Amino acid sequence: MVSRDVPALDDPVGESLRGHHAHLARRLGRAATYQPGVATFSTVTPGAGPEEWADLARLLGTGELADMFSSPATPPPGWEPVFVLDGRQMVGPDRPPAGTGAGVVELGADDVPEMLALVARAQPGPFWPRTRELGTYLGVRENGALVAMAGERLRPPGWTEISAVCTAPEARGRGHAARLVGALTARVLARGERPFLHVAEANTGAIALYERLGFETRKPVTFRGFRTP
């Protein structure tokens, strides 16, 4: 049974920006967001008032996206809703799946153009030119071409989020995603942390894969984005 009493996972964006990703943060008052090109995730404190939301708007600029991720905080009038997506947060196993890591390579700065091209085709979710700075990204190549990847994103204390799990359409069904998630899980556990991830509720195929790899649902979440006034 997965514990719901894990405060760090209830505010993964805020915990990451205050901790492991502080060097990638922009701040004004108690509002924070990532540097441009890294991620669009933003955070305010629970029960934030108009002044804190105004600080976030000043950080982002007029008419920009405030991706509040899984935060339930509600902005004041004038913030235009952009998207709402039902999802779930899943917590990984305390030991890596067997037989992971075969054919997996670490991706670096020189691989970013290929990573962006793969994301454009496979559409796993937000990924920007500097997103790889959030953590380690791994890939699988076939005949030299990058056909699958996954990496580390949010880093609340004691935890690492696995994200950007994707495979090119022509390379699906070959176990690439399972090997990548397994390899990342092994790396996270080796440094004394636990893996977790987020997935859209409609992505039943991905949920089934993660469950086979030992991930369990911790709680439902709602992803929301707003346009600054």
Side-chain angles (χ1 to χ4, degrees), residues 48-99:
E51 183 177 341
E52 194 168 333
W53 284 100
D55 284 343
L56 181 58
R58 283 192 287 270
L59 266 181
L60 297 172
T62 301
E64 295 296 326
L65 175 66
D67 186 339
M68 301 308 297
F69 200 62
S70 59
S71 171
T74 301
W79 290 65
E80 176 191 353
V82 177
F83 67 84
V84 176
L85 179 67
D86 290 331
R88 64 174 71 184
Q89 184 185 80
M90 303 183 75
V91 173
D94 57 7
R95 62 188 64 186

Side-chain angles (χ1 to χ4, degrees), residues 93-187:
D94 57 7
R95 62 188 64 186
T100 59
V104 170
V105 298
E106 189 164 334
L107 302 174
D110 291 343
D111 299 302
V112 168
E114 279 189 283
M115 296 166 78
L116 291 169
L118 177 59
V119 166
R121 297 180 65 206
Q123 299 186 340
F127 188 89
W128 310 105
R130 294 181 59 197
T131 298
R132 60 163 293 276
E133 295 178 30
L134 295 172
T136 298
Y137 279 78
L138 304 178
V140 174
R141 292 185 176 278
E142 291 183 353
N143 300 317
L146 184 66
V147 297
M149 76 172 194
E152 301 172 349
R153 191 167 64 178
L154 298 178
R155 292 285 301 276
W159 297 84
T160 295
E161 183 194 26
I162 294 175
S163 183
V165 182
C166 61
T167 304
E170 71 275 9
R172 291 172 183 165
R174 300 174 191 170
H176 295 329
R179 286 195 296 278
L180 288 164
V181 173
L184 286 168
T185 296
R187 288 177 178 234

Side-chain angles (χ1 to χ4, degrees), residues 14 23-24 47 87 120 138 204:
H23 65 293
L24 297 172
L138 304 178
T204 55

